[in-house]
Amino acid sequence: MRTVIAVGARILRGHALRKILTLLLFILVGAAAWPVYVGMQIETALEEPFTGYVGEVRIHHAVTRYERGRYSARASSVLHVLGDGLDFEVDLEHRIDHRMLGAAVYSRSGARAPRGEIPPVWAAAFMQARPRADSWLGLGGGVSSRFSSQPVRVSKEDDPGGDAGDAGAFRLDLGAGQGGLAYSPERVVLSFDTDRVDLADGDRRLLLRQLYFGLLVHPGPDGRYGPLPDYDIGLGSGSLSLTRGDRVLLGLDSLQMSSNQNSTARRLDSLWRLRAEALRSAGLELDTLDLNLTALRWDRPTLLRFVKDLEGVRAMSLATDLQTGLLLGMVMEGLQQMVEHDPLLQGYLRLNSEPGNHVRLNLDLGLGGDAEAFAARPLEAVALELKLEIGVELIEELAALVAGETGIEPRDGMDLQAWLDLAVAERWVRIENGIVHSLLRMEDGRLLINDRDQTVLLLALVFGLARGMF
């Protein structure tokens, strides 16, 4: 009996050993074959040409050579940029390492300068930047990249076809940059930052320090990346300086700009905000800048049609007056189509925090009613409230700066005080404790300024605009 049991145990161990060996064999075969499968999938993905648009500029990428091995591959490709006066190609070289769930791709610009219709200064900048990217391509189709560039210093002297007399008139000094790009069917993320952008043209100079940019884009309600997508944008700079010679035309500290847009199939909401801790311009110094604009309940299909029609108008090359009239007509037609959705535009402006030397402005502008009523009496569909508060001290400072800049002296008694007295007499403004106040409201087709009917001014403005429509 014991012998039978021992024999049976040996047989079972033999079967188990064979199963283990068979499993290990399958694993080894799979491990050997998997990189080949990954390489085939990545090759298929990379060899598919890509075409995208940035504004009116078309970007096309195509692989020209692909050499695949078991665990790695090498490829060459061409990036073609066309539009807005540009038509050039850039060579790219790629090294691909096959991994379990995708591939790591190391991309570098080719040794040759960009070819085609590209300003020589741009070509020189590209060769100095030597952009490079390290990417991850997943088997599910997602792409994630980190890219970087070297410092760039180019000037008009880098343009061999330029006028020798203009040498040194243009100069670009761009610090080393780095950023990222991630793409999936659900979102696109793009970021870039650099410590310095210095652009000079003649005696004018724009200098930005600690510049950063971030963009997040979601596909629209139809699931595609098209016009009017949902997005979030962040743009900022530690400091911005615009000078002309020794004069500071504009200076901003801790500049931040943000914008976002969200939509459904029928509705679009968007927000834009600009902030800075300090502002300097032509001798004027303010310690705060805060500007905000919000659009709510805008009809998305109407806006899409307007974007398409606007492209058609731009392609017509019409005279300026005809183009202006046509655009105004398109705007009125678009507003008529979306009036039933009660679109609303809100905004505010804050300048300076010092009492008596500040600006406060609040805006609420909306449309209501129905399309037929708007077509017959458009002004009655407008609901507007504009509230302004500004210190007299700041007005006097601005007037002195304007007089100093233009050299125009007030005459015939029409100086600042005369204008303020006229505005008070006409009830356009009221002055309390050194602060100018004004409240502008529009309702039922009537314009009220500080509760006084000024509809005649509104009609004069409407007739002036309507001249361009006929």
Side-chain angles (χ1 to χ4, degrees), residues 42-52 58-64 77-80:
I42 297 301
E43 180 179 3
T44 300
L46 287 178
E47 287 192 330
E48 184 70 24
F50 168 81
T51 301
R58 175 180 177 270
I59 299 177
H60 180 76
H61 178 263
V63 172
T64 57
S77 65
V78 174
L79 187 69
H80 184 198

Side-chain angles (χ1 to χ4, degrees), residues 43-222:
E43 180 179 3
T44 300
L46 287 178
E47 287 192 330
E48 184 70 24
F50 168 81
T51 301
Y53 289 85
V54 178
E56 297 182 355
V57 178
R58 175 180 177 270
I59 299 177
H60 180 76
H61 178 263
V63 172
T64 57
R65 177 184 63 87
Y66 200 99
E67 298 176 356
R68 176 168 55 86
R70 180 183 297 275
Y71 299 106
S72 64
R74 291 189 175 276
S76 301
S77 65
V78 174
L79 187 69
H80 184 198
V81 179
L82 175 63
D84 200 17
L86 301 173
D87 186 0
F88 66 92
E89 294 181 343
V90 176
D91 293 324
L92 300 174
E93 299 292 334
H94 313 276
R95 179 170 62 85
I96 303 105
D97 291 343
H98 302 157
R99 305 287 173 82
M100 289 295 294
L101 299 178
V105 182
Y106 306 95
S107 303
R108 306 291 182 264
S109 59
R112 291 193 302 174
R115 307 175 303 281
E117 298 178 13
I118 179 175
V121 172
W122 286 35
F126 183 86
M127 293 303 294
Q128 288 188 38
R130 302 294 297 175
R132 54 187 295 172
D134 298 336
S135 308
W136 172 259
L137 274 67
L139 294 180
V143 179
S144 178
S145 298
R146 293 293 300 173
F147 57 85
S148 61
S149 61
Q150 300 298 315
V152 171
R153 289 187 178 182
V154 294
S155 66
K156 195 71 173 179
E157 297 172 351
D158 295 294
D159 184 355
D163 188 347
D166 291 337
F170 171 84
R171 185 184 74 255
L172 172 64
D173 184 354
L174 178 66
Q178 51 278 323
L181 171 65
Y183 169 83
S184 71
E186 293 78 25
R187 64 179 181 175
V188 175
V189 181
L190 175 65
S191 64
F192 179 79
D193 64 84
T194 182
D195 62 350
R196 178 184 179 88
V197 177
D198 190 351
L199 178 64
D201 188 4
D203 62 347
R204 292 170 295 180
R205 182 186 182 193
L206 175 65
L207 174 62
L208 299 102
R209 297 185 183 277
Q210 303 302 322
L211 176 69
Y212 69 87
F213 170 78
L215 171 65
L216 169 64
V217 180
H218 293 282
D222 56 1

Side-chain angles (χ1 to χ4, degrees), residues 339-371:
V339 66
E340 295 180 352
H341 302 277
D342 298 321
L344 177 65
L345 181 65
Q346 296 178 315
Y348 65 77
L349 171 66
R350 303 286 184 268
L351 283 175
N352 235 11
S353 58
E354 182 182 350
N357 194 22
H358 66 276
V359 175
R360 300 288 183 271
L361 185 145
N362 292 278
L363 168 70
D364 280 277
L365 173 62
L367 293 177
D370 57 73

Side-chain angles (χ1 to χ4, degrees), residues 174-327:
L174 178 66
Q178 51 278 323
L181 171 65
Y183 169 83
S184 71
E186 293 78 25
R187 64 179 181 175
V188 175
V189 181
L190 175 65
S191 64
F192 179 79
D193 64 84
T194 182
D195 62 350
R196 178 184 179 88
V197 177
D198 190 351
L199 178 64
D201 188 4
D203 62 347
R204 292 170 295 180
R205 182 186 182 193
L206 175 65
L207 174 62
L208 299 102
R209 297 185 183 277
Q210 303 302 322
L211 176 69
Y212 69 87
F213 170 78
L215 171 65
L216 169 64
V217 180
H218 293 282
D222 56 1
R224 296 184 302 171
Y225 293 101
L228 302 180
D230 292 351
Y231 66 82
D232 287 274
I233 294 177
L235 173 66
S237 177
S239 65
L240 179 151
S241 175
L242 177 62
T243 59
R244 187 164 191 173
D246 296 331
R247 297 178 54 224
V248 178
L249 301 180
L250 178 64
L252 294 168
D253 295 337
S254 298
L255 174 65
Q256 301 176 42
M257 191 279 285
S258 60
S259 178
N260 64 71
Q261 184 165 280
N262 297 286
S263 61
T264 63
R266 297 292 308 180
R267 171 173 170 165
L268 183 144
D269 301 323
S270 60
L271 167 69
W272 183 80
R273 188 174 188 183
L274 177 69
R275 291 177 290 178
E277 292 184 0
L279 183 151
R280 299 172 300 279
S281 178
L284 179 68
E285 294 189 7
L286 304 175
D287 60 25
T288 317
L289 167 64
D290 193 352
L291 176 62
N292 181 293
L293 289 174
T294 304
L296 301 173
R297 301 190 298 270
W298 290 71
D299 186 51
R300 191 171 186 273
T302 300
L303 292 176
L304 288 172
R305 285 194 297 270
F306 181 79
V307 171
K308 184 177 180 179
D309 294 342
L310 183 61
E311 294 175 353
V313 171
R314 294 178 61 182
M316 288 176 158
S317 301
L318 298 174
T320 302
D321 55 344
L322 294 177
Q323 189 176 75
T324 301
L326 185 57
L327 289 175

